Amino acid sequence: MTFLFYLAGAIAIIATFAVIVQTNIVHALLYLILSLLAVAVIFYVLGAPFAAVLEAIVYAGAILVLFLFVIMMLNLGQHTRDQEKGWLTGRMFLAPGLMSALLLGQLLNVLSQVDQNMAVTRVGVMEVSALLFGPYVLAVELASILLLAGLVSAYHLAKR
Amino acid sequence: METIPVEHGFVLAGILFCLGLIGVLTRRNVVFVLMSLEIMLNASGLAFIVAAARWGHAEGQVMFLMILTLAAAEVAVGLGLIIQMFRRFQTVDINVLSEMKG
């Protein structure tokens, strides 16, 4: 299981890196699906099977299919790919990469003071559901209202 | 019971977050910017799951569910805006949207 964690982590990092340097938009989308599925495997290893299943269904299944539909609607072809190739030079990555590396260095510095092992305990659907429909029921209702608002505004925005 | 060092999980979440940040800062295609935002949200969800695994609580997973809902609503609105932008300007370049000279 520990080996699986590191393997899935390496796959997630490589696939995410491939997403941000890709010029073909559909290839980037496929790499993003790979990255999300690797993160789902990590969730399973960390003892959160419910979150792993939701990651595969909602993120890789629903959100990225939405992306795919929009890309199909926009009908971006060879022209956009050439444009991307022109925009994406190595120099573009210099300053943002440096700043993000600085941020990551700070994060690593903070995390280096944490020194604990986690014994993986499995927290299944039942415990999560008992919390969701117990103390956090208001948050669930608010989330449903947020989704409704998102639905209405997406319909309004995409209308001609 | 095998153990995984908790900081390795947080480091993985941090690396994914920083990769998403690089994507947001470098790309000019608005669809790629939205994809990088998804990467960043997903990384923060991973951090919550790692914390939940560390303390063996279910609250982290509840928080992950909230992030998932937020990401779904955000991507629906964002893609609607992209469609509207493509209709008006016939491009996906975000630099075109500088009419207000802000």
Side-chain angles (χ1 to χ4, degrees), chain B residues 42-89:
Chain B
N42 189 46
S44 54
L46 175 63
F48 271 109
I49 293 287
V50 171
R54 161 66 184 81
W55 282 280
H57 283 176
E59 268 96 349
Q61 292 192 43
V62 172
M63 204 59 217
F64 172 74
L65 275 177
M66 296 301 145
I67 290 176
L68 201 70
T69 319
L70 178 73
E74 176 244 337
V75 83
V77 176
L79 287 172
L81 283 171
I82 288 176
I83 290 173
Q84 201 56 253
M85 173 186 164
F86 196 74
R87 272 199 199 123
R88 289 205 184 169
F89 301 99

Side-chain angles (χ1 to χ4, degrees), chain A residues 10 17-18 31 54 58 94 103-104 121 137:
Chain A
F17 185 75
Y31 275 117
L54 279 180
V58 178
L94 204 65
L103 178 66
L104 187 65
T121 48
V137 70

Side-chain angles (χ1 to χ4, degrees), chain A residues 70-137:
Chain A
V70 168
I71 289 165
M72 273 157 53
M73 273 179 77
L74 298 183
N75 200 11
L76 308 167
Q78 188 64 44
H79 167 65
T80 325
R81 218 171 302 154
D82 296 339
Q83 209 177 20
E84 280 290 322
K85 283 211 179 86
W87 287 341
L88 212 66
T89 52
R91 272 179 53 237
M92 286 282 287
F93 280 100
L94 204 65
L98 209 66
M99 283 194 287
S100 299
L102 214 64
L103 178 66
L104 187 65
Q106 278 186 335
L107 279 174
L108 292 183
N109 186 31
V110 171
L111 289 173
S112 64
Q113 287 145 20
V114 185
D115 191 24
Q116 282 163 324
N117 282 342
M118 47 188 171
V120 175
T121 48
R122 208 178 164 78
V123 180
V125 186
M126 211 186 80
E127 291 92 333
V128 179
S129 316
L131 272 181
L132 272 179
F133 292 100
Y136 293 107
V137 70

Side-chain angles (χ1 to χ4, degrees), chain A residues 1-2 5-6 9 12-13 16-17 19-22 25 28-29 32 36 39 42-43 45-48 50-51 54-55 58-59 63 66-67 70 73-74 76 80 84 87-88 92-93 96-97 100 103-104 107-108 111 114-121 123 128 131-132 136 139-140 143 146-147 150 153-154 157-160, chain B residues 1-12 14-29 31-32 34-36 38-39 41-42 45-46 49-50 52-59 61-62 64-73 75-84 86-87 91-94:
Chain A
M1 285 300 245
T2 315
F5 174 82
Y6 291 110
I13 290 172
T16 309
F17 185 75
V19 171
I20 63 169
V21 297
Q22 198 66 235
I25 202 159
L29 210 59
L32 188 53
L36 292 174
V39 173
I42 291 171
F43 286 174
V45 171
L46 291 180
F50 187 46
L54 279 180
E55 173 95 7
V58 178
Y59 256 116
I63 294 180
L66 209 61
F67 266 107
V70 168
M73 273 179 77
L74 298 183
L76 308 167
T80 325
E84 280 290 322
W87 287 341
L88 212 66
M92 286 282 287
F93 280 100
S100 299
L103 178 66
L104 187 65
L107 279 174
L108 292 183
L111 289 173
V114 185
D115 191 24
Q116 282 163 324
N117 282 342
M118 47 188 171
V120 175
T121 48
V123 180
V128 179
L131 272 181
L132 272 179
Y136 293 107
V140 174
L146 175 71
L147 279 176
S153 52
L157 284 172
K159 208 169 55 173
R160 279 186 190 279
Chain B
M1 182 62 80
E2 60 226 302
T3 57
I4 300 163
V6 66
E7 64 262 40
H8 288 185
F10 284 128
V11 165
L12 178 63
I15 290 172
L16 288 180
F17 188 87
C18 286
L19 282 174
L21 188 62
I22 293 174
V24 170
L25 292 173
T26 45
R27 304 311 294 246
R28 274 173 72 181
N29 188 333
V31 182
F32 275 102
L34 204 58
M35 266 152 77
S36 304
E38 288 301 309
I39 294 170
L41 274 174
N42 189 46
L46 175 63
I49 293 287
V50 171
R54 161 66 184 81
W55 282 280
H57 283 176
E59 268 96 349
Q61 292 192 43
V62 172
F64 172 74
L65 275 177
M66 296 301 145
I67 290 176
L68 201 70
T69 319
L70 178 73
V75 83
V77 176
L79 287 172
L81 283 171
I82 288 176
I83 290 173
Q84 201 56 253
F86 196 74
R87 272 199 199 123
T91 179
V92 281
D93 181 6
I94 29 176

